[in-house]
Amino acid sequence: MSLAGRLGPREGAVVHKNIIFIGVALGMLSAAAAQTIVSPAMPRIVAELGGMNHYSWVATAALLASAVTVPVVGKLSDMYGRRGFFIWGLVLFMAGSALSGAAQGFWWLVAARAVQGLGMGTIMPLAQTIIGDIISPRERGRYVGYLGAVFGVASITGPLVGGWITDNFSWRWLFYVNLPLGVAALAFIVAYLHLPHTPRRHAVDYVGFVTLAVGLSAVLLATSWGGTEYPWGSWQIIGLYGFGALVLAGFLVNEYYAEEPVLPLRLWKSSVFTFSNIANLGISMGMFGAIYYIPVFAQGVLGVSVTNSGAITLPLMLAALPVSVLVGRMITRTGRYKVFLLAGVAVMWVGYLILSNLDYDSTQAELTLAMVVVGLGLGAVMQTFTLVVQNAVTREDLGVATAATQFTRSTGATVGIAVFGTIMTNRMQTEIPAHLPPVARQHSVALFGDSGGGVGAVLDPSSLSHLPDPVVAGIQQGLAAAMHPVFLAGLPVLAVAFVATLLVKELPLRTVAFADMDREAPGGSWGSDDARRLLLSGVALDYVARRIETANGDAPHLLRAASSLVGPDGGLSERERALRASREVIRPTARLLVAASLLRRRSAGTSVDGRDQRGGV
C-alpha cells in the first residue's frame, strides 16, 4: 500500500498533492533552466556560428514559439484534460534540446530552439494550471515560494553551469544536459500525474487557433526584426505589423461569436485579470532584459570570462530566492498580496536605475549591487501574478486564464529581448567607432563589418587578445555607452507595471482548491461538505413546512411540535399556531440555510463577476 493509502483521507490528500507538485515542478525546472543556461554562452555561440546581427534570435525563437503555443494549449487542456498535453510538451522539449545540441549552423539552432519553445509553451502554463487545480489560492501562497525556488535554482545554476560547461566542454552540452532531467520529469509525470477529467463534447474553435497563431507570429516577428533585419520604417516591418493587426482583429471578431473561444473576451472585463497581465508583461520585459543583457555588459565592458559572467548573475537569483519564499509564506499567513506586489515592482525599478548609471569605470561590485536590488524586487512578484489571476477566475477558465498569464510573460520576454537587443545593436554600431582611436576608427568597417555584425568579436576574449590595448579600451568604452540606453529603457516599462499593479483590486483568496471540491462532492453538485449540509437542512425544513401546511389530521405530533414554536396565542387553535410557525419560523429558516449554502459554495470558488466556479448557479 502506498504512503498516501496508509494515511487518513486528509493526510493522504496532502501527500498526493505534494507528489503531483514535485512532478510538475520538476518539469518546470527543466523548461526554466533552458531559458537561462544559454545566456552567458550566447557570445561564444554567435562567435562560432555567426549571426551577431541576429543575436537575440536564439532566445527569441524559443520565446516566440512558446508565446504562440501557450494560449492554445491552455484552452485545449480545459477541454480535454492536462495530462496528455503535459507529457507531449516534455517530449517536444527534449527533441528540441537534442536538435539544438546538434546544430550545424546558426539558423539550424534557431529552428531547434523553436521546437524547444513549443515544449516550453506547453510545460510552463500546464504546470501552473495543474497546481491551480490541486492547491487553493490561500494555501498556494506558501507554494508560491517553492515555485520561486524552482525558478531561482534554474536561474542560479543555469548561467553558472552554462558558463562552466562552455569554457570546459562545449556550448552544445548546454542543450544535451536537459535530456536526463527531462527524462526524469517524464517518468515521474507518467507514474504519478492522474488528474480526473470528465470527457464531454466540445466545439473546437479552429478559426481562433489559426488566426491567433498567425497574428501573434506576424506581430512578434516584426518586433524582433525591426531595427535589426530591416529598418523600423521598412515595408517589411510595416507590412508584418499591418498583416498581424488585421489577422488579430479577425481573431477578436471570431472570439466574440465562437461557442467555445480560445481566449474568452469576457476575461478582459475583469480589472484583476487585465491589470495583472499588463503588470506581468512589464515585469517579464525587465526580468529577461536583465538576464540576457547583463552578461553582455560583464563580458564586453568588465572583461570577465564566460564562466565569471555566469557567476556575476548569481546575486540576482540569490536575492530573489529567499524573498520569494518569505513573501509566499506571508501571503498564506495574511491572505494579502497587493502590498508585496507594489513593493517588488518599486524595488525592481530602483535596480534598473542603478544599472542605467553603470559605465566603463564601474566595478563588478557595483554591477553586483544592481543585480541584488533587481533580484529583491523580482522575488516578490515572480510567481504572484499567476496566483492573483487564478484566484479571480472560474474553474472552467482556469487553464486558459493561467495560459494567458504565461502568454503575457512569454510575450514580455520576447518583446523585451527584441527591443533591448535592437537598442544595443544600433548603439554599438555608432558608439564603438566613436570611442576608438582615430587610426582604428578609420578602419572600423574592416574591423567590425559594414553593418556592425562583426561587432560580436568584442564579446569574444580570444578575438580581442591580438588587438592593441587602446583599441580594446575604446571598444569597451563604446559598449558601455551602448548598454546605457538598454537599461534606461527598462525604467518606463517598470513604471507602467507599477501603475497597473496599483489598479489591481485585491480579492480575498479562496480557501478551497478545485480538486478538493471534486473530492468532497463526487457528483460535482456541491462545493463542500458544509455547503451540502446547509442545503440538505434547508430542503428538510422546507419539506417540514409543506407537511405542516398540507396536514389533514394525519400528523398530530408534527402540528403539536410546530405550534410550540410560537406558544399560546389567545383563541388560535393548535393547527393555526402550527401554520403561523411554518410561515414565520420554519420557511424563513429554510431559505436562510439555502442562501448560506450558496454563499459557502461561492466563498469556496467564485469568479469576480459572481458566476459559480463550477459552472452551476
Side-chain angles (χ1 to χ4, degrees):
M1 181 182 294
S2 67
L3 175 62
R6 292 196 298 268
L7 299 173
R10 183 176 298 275
E11 293 80 3
V14 172
V15 169
H16 188 62
K17 282 183 183 181
N18 291 337
I19 290 174
I20 295 176
F21 178 83
I22 292 170
V24 297
L26 189 59
M28 289 176 68
L29 177 62
S30 61
Q35 295 178 328
T36 59
I37 195 172
V38 181
S39 58
M42 280 297 300
R44 186 69 59 85
I45 292 173
V46 297
E48 180 176 330
L49 298 181
M52 180 60 192
N53 270 353
H54 317 293
Y55 177 94
S56 64
W57 261 101
V58 175
T60 301
L63 294 170
L64 176 62
S66 176
V68 172
T69 304
V70 162
V72 174
V73 170
K75 180 62 179 180
L76 290 175
S77 74
D78 281 336
M79 299 168 67
Y80 300 111
R82 327 263 191 229
R83 184 175 186 269
F85 290 106
F86 195 84
I87 290 172
W88 276 108
L90 283 170
V91 171
L92 274 175
F93 173 74
M94 289 188 288
S97 298
L99 290 171
S100 296
Q104 299 302 305
F106 182 80
W107 292 110
W108 176 334
L109 177 61
V110 169
R113 286 284 285 170
V115 176
Q116 258 194 327
L118 294 176
M120 289 188 290
T122 302
I123 294 170
M124 301 300 282
L126 290 190
Q128 298 274 13
T129 305
I130 291 167
I131 292 168
D133 277 328
I134 65 174
I135 300 171
S136 72
R138 180 64 180 266
E139 181 186 7
R140 193 183 167 216
R142 177 164 51 94
Y143 286 85
V144 163
Y146 302 150
L147 291 176
V150 169
F151 283 98
V153 168
S155 299
I156 290 171
T157 61
L160 190 60
V161 173
W164 182 81
I165 289 175
T166 302
D167 274 355
N168 293 278
F169 298 96
S170 166
W171 60 263
R172 298 182 184 278
W173 284 98
L174 302 178
F175 302 102
Y176 293 145
V177 296
N178 291 325
L179 299 179
L181 187 60
V183 169
L186 182 63
F188 204 99
I189 293 302
V190 169
Y192 293 104
L193 181 61
H194 299 285
L195 290 177
H197 177 73
T198 303
R200 64 181 181 86
R201 182 182 174 277
H202 293 280
V204 180
D205 182 15
Y206 295 107
V207 175
F209 289 144
V210 173
T211 53
L212 179 62
V214 172
L216 286 177
S217 297
V219 171
L220 293 176
L221 277 174
T223 304
S224 299
W225 282 349
T228 54
E229 295 289 327
Y230 307 98
W232 284 105
S234 66
W235 68 265
Q236 292 94 341
I237 300 301
I238 295 176
L240 275 174
Y241 273 128
F243 175 72
L246 185 64
V247 174
L248 289 177
F251 166 75
L252 293 176
V253 173
N254 175 78
E255 295 303 275
Y256 183 80
Y257 292 103
E259 183 178 346
E260 292 192 54
V262 178
L263 185 61
L265 300 182
R266 54 184 162 76
L267 291 177
W268 297 98
K269 295 179 181 179
S270 164
S271 62
V272 174
F273 181 86
T274 300
F275 290 123
S276 292
N277 279 288
I278 292 173
N280 201 36
L281 181 75
I283 289 166
S284 181
M285 291 179 67
M287 174 182 175
F288 282 88
I291 288 174
Y292 274 88
Y293 292 105
I294 283 177
V296 175
F297 186 92
Q299 290 170 235
V301 179
L302 301 182
V304 300
S305 69
V306 176
T307 300
N308 288 335
S309 176
I312 208 169
T313 61
L314 200 61
L316 191 151
M317 284 303 164
L318 284 178
L321 188 57
V323 173
S324 178
V325 174
L326 177 62
V327 167
R329 290 187 173 275
M330 291 298 293
I331 290 174
T332 294
R333 179 175 299 178
T334 65
R336 307 294 298 272
Y337 51 80
K338 188 171 180 177
V339 63
F340 303 114
L341 292 174
L342 289 171
V345 179
V347 173
M348 278 191 72
W349 189 91
V350 173
Y352 256 82
L353 182 63
I354 300 174
L355 283 172
S356 68
N357 283 289
L358 298 177
D359 56 23
Y360 172 72
D361 296 321
S362 298
T363 64
Q364 286 195 23
E366 291 172 314
L367 181 59
T368 298
L369 173 64
M371 294 287 285
V372 168
V373 177
V374 172
L376 291 174
L378 186 61
V381 299
M382 200 157 39
Q383 295 297 316
T384 311
F385 279 108
T386 302
L387 165 66
V388 174
V389 169
Q390 288 183 336
N391 183 61
V393 299
T394 66
R395 181 173 192 175
E396 65 182 3
D397 292 329
L398 181 65
V400 70
T402 304
T405 304
Q406 184 63 39
F407 166 73
T408 57
R409 179 187 176 95
S410 299
T411 302
T414 304
V415 173
I417 291 172
V419 170
F420 292 167
T422 298
I423 296 171
M424 180 190 74
T425 302
N426 290 341
R427 292 300 293 265
M428 284 170 74
Q429 295 178 26
T430 58
E431 294 289 350
I432 290 181
H435 286 79
L436 289 174
V439 175
R441 189 182 308 155
Q442 296 173 6
H443 303 284
S444 61
V445 172
L447 284 171
F448 305 113
D450 57 2
S451 64
V455 143
V458 307
L459 304 178
D460 187 356
S462 62
S463 299
L464 297 178
S465 60
H466 66 281
L467 295 177
D469 290 342
V471 174
V472 173
I475 291 172
Q476 292 175 336
Q477 290 171 359
L479 183 58
M483 293 302 298
H484 171 72
V486 173
F487 297 129
L488 197 64
L491 295 178
V493 170
L494 291 173
V496 171
F498 182 85
V499 173
T501 304
L502 195 63
L503 295 174
V504 172
K505 181 181 178 182
E506 188 171 40
L507 300 175
L509 295 174
R510 286 186 288 107
T511 58
V512 179
F514 292 129
D516 291 336
M517 295 179 187
D518 286 339
R519 187 179 69 249
E520 292 173 359
S525 299
W526 324 121
S528 66
D529 286 336
D530 289 342
R532 187 187 307 112
R533 285 192 292 269
L534 289 169
L535 186 58
L536 290 176
S537 299
V539 170
L541 284 179
D542 185 73
Y543 171 78
V544 170
R546 291 177 183 275
R547 281 289 289 125
I548 291 171
E549 293 168 7
T550 59
N552 189 22
D554 57 343
H557 298 295
L558 183 60
L559 292 175
R560 187 176 304 112
S563 66
S564 66
L565 295 175
V566 296
D569 192 353
L572 291 180
S573 66
E574 183 177 81
R575 176 176 173 75
E576 289 172 335
R577 291 198 307 274
L579 291 174
R580 179 182 172 186
S582 176
R583 291 191 299 268
E584 297 179 2
V585 180
I586 300 175
R587 278 196 179 278
T589 303
R591 295 191 188 100
L592 286 173
L593 289 171
V594 171
S597 72
L598 294 175
L599 288 173
R600 176 61 179 169
R601 291 173 61 197
R602 290 181 183 275
S603 66
T606 306
S607 69
V608 293
D609 59 6
R611 294 182 299 111
D612 185 75
Q613 295 278 27
R614 302 183 54 80
V617 177

